[in-house]
Amino acid sequence: MAAGRVLHRAGGALLAGATAWAAHEALEETLVCRALRARGLAAARGNAELAELLGGAALEPGPWYNSSLTVRAGGLAACRFPVHGERRGSEVVVKALPRERWRSNVLYCLAGRGEWMPVQIWAAVGLKRGGLPRRVDLLGPELEAERRAAGLPGAEERQAMMPGTAQKK
């Protein structure tokens, strides 16, 4: 009987721990995804080239359940989500690092600054010759100085790294 009680309590503690872990993971993904989607949507809405390709500046995000998020151990987060204009749709990709390293992204988003420095923001629109998507760089010039200070590539280097883009001269 005593062994049964111990196993029952251990199982309850294990279930409580697993529930807390799952809740933490879900909250982390929700907070990080919301921050990156907001940053990507603002960049997409502010880009004249993308607005022209999609059919107007009134870009709207697709449903949240069509988004994806990956958070790496080093802090790099990548979020993909759909947007659509009046004529066609696109997928926006945001890759970003937290401006400060905290032990937990949940604590950083709730108690810290919760700001993410974009490494890349781009949209895939249609197909070019050879079946590659046409990519539009959405990372604005206002972050260039900050990115250079952090040792991240500038606009020219980003353009060269993105497959499916032509070098602008």
Side-chain angles (χ1 to χ4, degrees), residues 147-161:
R147 292 175 47 72
R148 292 244 187 238
L152 296 171
E156 302 81 28
E157 294 94 337
R158 282 195 316 277
Q159 195 70 22
M161 290 187 296

Side-chain angles (χ1 to χ4, degrees), residues 50-75:
L50 185 63
E52 180 182 328
L53 290 168
L54 299 183
L59 300 180
E60 293 299 323
W64 64 268
Y65 50 81
N66 285 341
S67 302
S68 68
L69 176 74
T70 304
V71 181
R72 305 258 184 233

Side-chain angles (χ1 to χ4, degrees), residues 40-62 81-90 92 123 125 138:
L41 187 58
R45 285 180 173 158
N47 187 282
E49 180 183 4
L50 185 63
E52 180 182 328
L53 290 168
L54 299 183
L59 300 180
E60 293 299 323
F81 63 95
V83 295
H84 56 87
E86 293 177 16
R87 286 195 312 258
R88 63 197 308 190
S90 176
V92 174
V125 183
L138 303 177

Side-chain angles (χ1 to χ4, degrees), residues 135-153:
R135 295 189 181 190
V136 178
D137 189 0
L138 303 177
L139 197 56
E142 68 275 0
L143 291 173
E144 288 300 321
E146 181 180 358
R147 292 175 47 72
R148 292 244 187 238
L152 296 171

